[in-house]
Amino acid sequence: MNHNRIVCFDLEMCCWNQDGVGTTGEIIEIGLAEIDLVKQEVVKRAQYYVKPEKDEVSLFCVELTGITPRKIEKQGRPLEAVLQSVVKNFGGANKIYASWGRDDLILKKECQQKGIELPFKEFINLATLYRIQNRLKDKRIGHKAAQEAKGIDWEGRQHSGYVDAYNLAKLALTML
């Protein structure tokens, strides 16, 4: 296990908003940013689009994420192929993966449904760690708000897996 490297990741999923109620479906983007804790820097980034098997990208989802059905059609690949690329380019079980919240459970559930092996074994929920470190107890805080509270500028469009993973990596460097 390489404890000097953490792979921060963010998922974007098919999403809908009906009568003010948000729901999500299959993963359509995985953004990753790997940090080196010794060098204290982001050392690698990637973005993968995933072609959903059952869901479609709604207009609400396009507005939220900027991911269009055309982009998914042209650049999307099956989840299994994307995860093979993630393991090849970032390492699988020999790396620790981290997200803001429980993206690990979302990924695990979809992998189980599709008969795919989860690409990692070790996981850190940075939202929980942030709440513990900052004595927030029961108070939930969003990734962007937590980052801004630490004086770290947010870069790029929120709800892009690529952008969110990079911003999370910058925040993680202050936490780990």
Side-chain angles (χ1 to χ4, degrees), residues 113-173:
Q113 290 171 342
K114 295 179 177 179
I116 302 167
E117 188 176 336
L118 192 64
F120 53 84
K121 303 275 187 258
E122 295 287 330
F123 173 78
I124 300 169
N125 178 345
L126 292 171
T128 298
L129 182 60
Y130 183 92
R131 286 196 316 270
I132 291 167
Q133 289 177 341
N134 293 280
R135 308 286 189 262
L136 298 178
K137 293 188 181 180
D138 297 327
K139 184 179 177 190
R140 293 179 56 102
I141 184 167
H143 170 199
K144 187 174 182 182
Q147 185 164 318
E148 290 172 346
K150 291 291 183 187
I152 304 167
D153 290 336
W154 185 272
E155 295 180 46
R157 178 192 178 124
Q158 196 173 12
H159 300 299
S160 156
Y162 183 71
V163 169
D164 290 354
Y166 175 67
N167 281 298
L168 183 59
K170 293 191 313 179
L171 179 59
L173 284 168

Side-chain angles (χ1 to χ4, degrees), residues 31-48:
L32 302 109
E34 185 171 338
I35 57 176
D36 184 313
L37 296 176
V38 175
K39 295 180 182 176
Q40 282 290 294
E41 64 184 20
V42 177
V43 293
K44 190 185 303 185
R45 296 175 70 185
Q47 175 180 46
Y48 300 99

Side-chain angles (χ1 to χ4, degrees), residues 65-110:
T65 67
I67 301 169
T68 64
R70 180 176 165 92
K71 184 172 287 205
I72 293 297
E73 187 58 39
K74 292 185 82 136
Q75 298 178 35
R77 296 184 295 143
L79 180 61
E80 186 170 23
V82 167
L83 293 179
Q84 288 170 352
S85 293
V86 168
V87 169
K88 179 182 175 195
N89 296 318
F90 288 87
N94 66 328
K95 295 276 181 73
I96 300 169
Y97 281 66
S99 70
W100 190 266
R102 295 309 308 261
D103 282 10
D104 64 314
L105 296 180
I106 294 167
L107 183 59
K108 181 179 182 180
K109 181 179 176 186
E110 191 163 328

